[in-house]
Each structure stands twice: as C-alpha cells, then as structure tokens.
Amino acid sequence: MDVVTVSDLVVDRGRRRVLPGLSFAVPEGQVTGLLGPSGSGKSTLLRAIVGVQRIRSGTVTVLGHPAGSPALRDRVGYVTQSPSVYADLTVRENARYFAALYGRGAREADAAIADVGLGEAAGQLVGDLSGGQRGRASLACALVGEPEVLVLDEPTVGLDPVLRVELWERFSGLAAAGTTLLVSSHVMDEAARCDRLLLLRDGALLADTTPGRLRTDGRSDDLEEAFLNVVRASAQEMAR
Ligand code: ADP
Ligand code: MG
C-alpha cells in the first residue's frame, strides 16, 4: 500500500516555481530518503506532504486523505529543519507536553527521550542544549505520538557520526515495525541507509530508485559517485 501519493504537484514560493510538477508514491513501512542539494526543494516538498505548504496545483494524498486533513493530525509526525521545541522547558517537559497532545503518558515520553539518546539530558532546559541535542529533542517529541508516518527534514544535520548512525538504525527499526518514514538529507552517504531513494534536483525528480539500483545505474559502489554519473548521463541525454 502506498502511504503518500503525490501527483503533478506544482508549488510556487514567492515568484519562483520551486516544484514544477512532481509525481511519486511512498510505500508503507520503509525508509524513503529524499536526497538533494540545498535549495532543491526538499523542505518545500515535505511541507506539502504534511499540509502546511500552499500548492498551485496537483494532489498530495496521505493515508488516503488529502495532505493536512484533520484526520491525519495524530497519524503524521513532522520534524522541521529548525528544532520546534520550547527553549524554556526541559527536554522531559517538552516530551510530556507533546505526549499529552497525543494522548500518551510520562512513560512514552521517557521512552522517546531514551530512544534519541537524550536520557542524561532529560532534566536540562532545551535552550541550554547544543544544536544537535535540540534536533534530537524535536525528534523525541515527534516519536512520542507513535505516528504511522514520520516526516523528518534533515534530522541528522549537526550530529556527530556516531549519533547519526544510531539515529539511522532507529529509523530502520521503526520502519521494520511498520512506520513509514520520509527523511530528507543533503548528504549522499546517508542514502545507503534508505530502502528507497528520491533524488531531487531543482525541484524535479532525477531518480526514484534504491541504493542497489543507483549503484548499478551509476556504475559505482560509491553512492555519491553513482549519483553524479546518473546526473551527467541525464544531462547528456537532455543535450541530445
Ligand atoms: P531545500 O530544503 O532542498 O534546501 P527548499 O524547499 O527550502 O529547499 O527551497 C527550495 C527553493 O525555494 C529555494 O530556491 C528557496 O530559495 C526557495 N524558497 C524557500 N522558502 C521560500 C520562501 N519562503 N519564499 C520564497 N522562496 C523560498
Ligand atoms: Mg530544507
């Protein structure tokens, strides 16, 4: 079953056409990576999927409902690129606040904090945390509601390599348990951690693929290099 379906999506921001007409589907219970350089439209696309982006035309359907429908409120979790937690509350207070919004309790809040490796910092004010810790606090607040769909906008930016690996393992674990994850990143080495890859460039889908297929198509085991080979091949194709 497809959890997210995007058809002919066109989005303008300011006077710019940021997404000129995207179509794809995201299957259930997988980690789908949205990979693309800065400015390629990743955040805009994720915003459209959670229903906070004004769209020009096209449709975005999530779990069978139009994106942003009230029915999706507690079924879709979204973590924005800049942390969306309260600086004047502790990590634990933030998690409990979000837990209460989702009808969950203190136990779930503490579990979510532990899941993102913030157990030691649970009593600290979010305003006193490092950028990476703040990002993880936001993630804990999204996890606490146990949403069916998790939309994460560059969740690993500013994290050290060990934490990045831990988080990606956590994402895989959630997907194995049935959660559908859509995770954006601008670093290709994270692509290897995804079940499925959407490669975005200038608002257009350059490829809808898997790490294995990208390695084959791009004739390299290195995903970054494979990606560049695919980009070059498609540029040559267009020049012809
Ligand atoms: P990414 O997340 O991949 O870095 P974004 O979706 O944030 O890309 O941005 C895509 C394009 O939309 C960029 O060219 C950016 O300058 C433009 N853009 C983003 N936000 C706005 C805005 N609020 N108003 C006008 N243009 C915007
Ligand atoms: Mg972005």
Side-chain angles (χ1 to χ4, degrees), residues 13-14 16 18 36-45 81 153-154:
R13 293 188 88 167
R16 282 199 53 195
V18 174
S38 190
S40 57
K42 302 182 297 296
S43 295
T44 304
L45 175 56
Q81 202 165 340
D153 199 356
E154 304 214 34

Side-chain angles (χ1 to χ4, degrees), residues 3-5 45-55 59-78 149 151:
V3 166
V4 177
T5 312
L45 175 56
L46 297 182
R47 284 165 50 85
I49 289 169
V50 298
V52 297
Q53 176 66 54
R54 182 189 296 266
I55 70 175
T59 56
V60 183
T61 307
V62 181
L63 296 165
H65 300 274
S69 299
L72 296 171
R73 213 187 66 84
D74 54 5
R75 301 179 70 190
V76 179
Y78 173 45
V149 184
V151 177

Side-chain angles (χ1 to χ4, degrees), residues 57 75 95 172 198 200 210 220-221 231:
S57 60
R75 301 179 70 190
S172 299
L198 300 170
L200 198 66
T210 63
S220 173
D221 280 339
V231 171

Side-chain angles (χ1 to χ4, degrees), residues 4-37:
V4 177
T5 312
V6 172
S7 304
D8 303 320
L9 175 63
V10 178
V11 175
D12 295 334
R13 293 188 88 167
R15 253 176 264 156
R16 282 199 53 195
R17 178 137 298 179
V18 174
L19 304 178
L22 274 182
S23 299
F24 61 88
V26 174
E28 186 177 20
Q30 288 193 358
V31 179
T32 296
L34 178 62
L35 278 288

